[in-house]
Amino acid sequence: MNARARELRPRSLLWEALRRPVGPHHRGWLAFGWLLLLVLILEAVSGCLLAVYYRASSEAPESLRFLMREVDWGWLVRGLHRWGSQALLAIALAAGLRELVARGWRGSRGVLWLLGLLVVLVLFASDLTGMLLRWDEPAYQTTRAVLARVEALPGVGAPLAAVLGGATKVAPATIGRVYAAHVFLLPFVLGAAVVAAVWYAGRRWRSRGGAA
Amino acid sequence: VIVVLERGASGEEVRGILASLASLGLEAREISGGGRSLVHVVRGPTRRARKLLAHGRVVALVPTSGPRIRREGRRFYPYHFIGWCAAALVASGVLVLLAGVLPPGLGPSFDALDPPAPAAAPLPWYLLPARGLSRLLPDGLRWVGGLAVLLVLALLVALPFVDRAGRARWTGGLLALVLLGSALALGVIGAGA
């Protein structure tokens, strides 16, 4: 392994981080990142547990009722997943606002700014698709309203709404698309963005001699 | 303050930095660490050293003194890790409490093949500003709400490419204030009956 590859090894990066003092202005950023990572892990674990009982079809409300009433601690898993998503959005928005005030897009931080934007967008999309997965009447009305707004966009609206909804209006195919996006596509994009952001921030931190 | 220079900075460039610091009334000396040139400002009002950030070869200023460091000392990652773990424990407790006290609800079922008549949709809170903007516009221009969200997004994406000034400016705070204020105002309108 050459020296360049060795210095980018995660263990090497972690060891170096432990040996360096934390700058007085970095604590807030690190606390945001740490909380975000923790709640993301909580969401992933609770989401996997929910997927054991959830059925992405017209039986979705019944499967959720069964989970809430019959399964031990099912109410807790669903509640944690729901409130965890709200906490994620709140933390991500607070971090974004802080970056905005500090003009965190300047210089080499621009890459982190764009990755952060991608993370926030994916979190919003995950929350929206998660809400629609209840597949009850309020979720139907929300899906219809969101698709109507997308469809009203000039030019790209109609085809985009058809791709998102699986049809020109809310149909049984919609829940399959929403489920696939919520469980496969969005977590993959989110994970890739978070890994890329952590890797880039670590590399940048190291190249600047431990300064943010 | 330690002034961190780019890798490969020449001795002449380091001397130039030392001269700049001297002209700012700061006493400094060259040190080395991590295979790069560093300049340690040992005496003088270190706040003035911020001007060096405009220098092309200066990548960062690392504070080594100041009221907070004098009060708290130099703390390392493991120290903060304990604090973050405590914060995570409290956050987990709050989430469990919310899950127990305010469990997510479930509305009546519906048949997608025979859907119910369109009714007022309970939008999530982050879509309320777009609905608020739509309400302010005439019927034919409702799509402007969605377009405005896309435009704000495009502006945020474009910021790293259009705002490259190195000096701290008030634009970030103003932008945050305008975005937050308009989102809150439109959200209140969107949440209204």
Side-chain angles (χ1 to χ4, degrees), chain B residues 33-80:
Chain B
R36 67 168 70 233
S37 295
L38 306 167
V39 172
H40 188 193
V41 180
V42 289
R43 194 165 295 132
T46 50
R47 187 177 290 267
R48 292 182 192 168
R50 286 183 189 171
K51 289 183 179 174
L52 283 180
L53 284 172
H55 194 286
R57 300 294 267 175
V58 174
V59 292
L61 299 177
V62 181
T64 54
S65 64
R68 190 184 285 177
I69 288 177
R70 274 199 295 277
R71 191 171 63 241
E72 300 176 358
R74 301 285 281 167
R75 287 174 172 167
F76 287 64
Y77 279 80
Y79 174 87
H80 295 291

Side-chain angles (χ1 to χ4, degrees), chain A residues 34-93:
Chain A
W34 170 246
L35 269 180
L36 205 63
L37 193 65
L38 183 95
V39 185
L40 266 179
I41 292 169
L42 179 78
E43 286 294 280
V45 172
S46 58
C48 287
L49 291 174
L50 283 178
V52 172
Y53 289 96
Y54 181 76
R55 274 170 289 178
S57 65
S58 56
E59 296 172 351
E62 280 67 42
S63 67
L64 286 176
R65 274 193 197 94
F66 178 78
L67 177 89
M68 296 284 282
R69 291 175 186 166
E70 306 294 333
V71 179
D72 287 342
W73 303 104
W75 60 272
L76 180 64
V77 173
R78 186 167 173 236
L80 280 179
H81 197 69
R82 173 73 188 134
W83 284 108
S85 73
Q86 300 302 302
L88 265 183
L89 288 176
I91 296 166
L93 280 182

Side-chain angles (χ1 to χ4, degrees), chain A residues 17 19 22 24 27 34 65 78 83 86 100 103 105-106 113 127-128 136-137 140-142 144 152 207-208 211, chain B residues 36 59 68 75-77 80 84 102 104-105 107-108 115 117 119 122 125-126 143 156 163 166-167 169 171-172:
Chain A
R19 283 167 42 215
V22 180
R27 291 186 306 182
W34 170 246
R65 274 193 197 94
R78 186 167 173 236
W83 284 108
Q86 300 302 302
L100 198 63
R103 293 169 71 221
W105 55 79
R106 286 171 301 156
W113 170 263
D127 186 72
L128 189 62
D136 55 3
E137 198 175 322
Y140 162 78
Q141 299 290 3
T142 305
R144 188 190 50 73
S207 72
R208 294 164 66 86
Chain B
R36 67 168 70 233
V59 292
R68 190 184 285 177
R75 287 174 172 167
F76 287 64
Y77 279 80
H80 295 291
W84 298 332
L102 296 168
W125 56 269
Y126 44 84
W143 52 271
L156 294 176
D163 181 18
R167 286 177 291 112
R169 291 194 309 198
T171 45

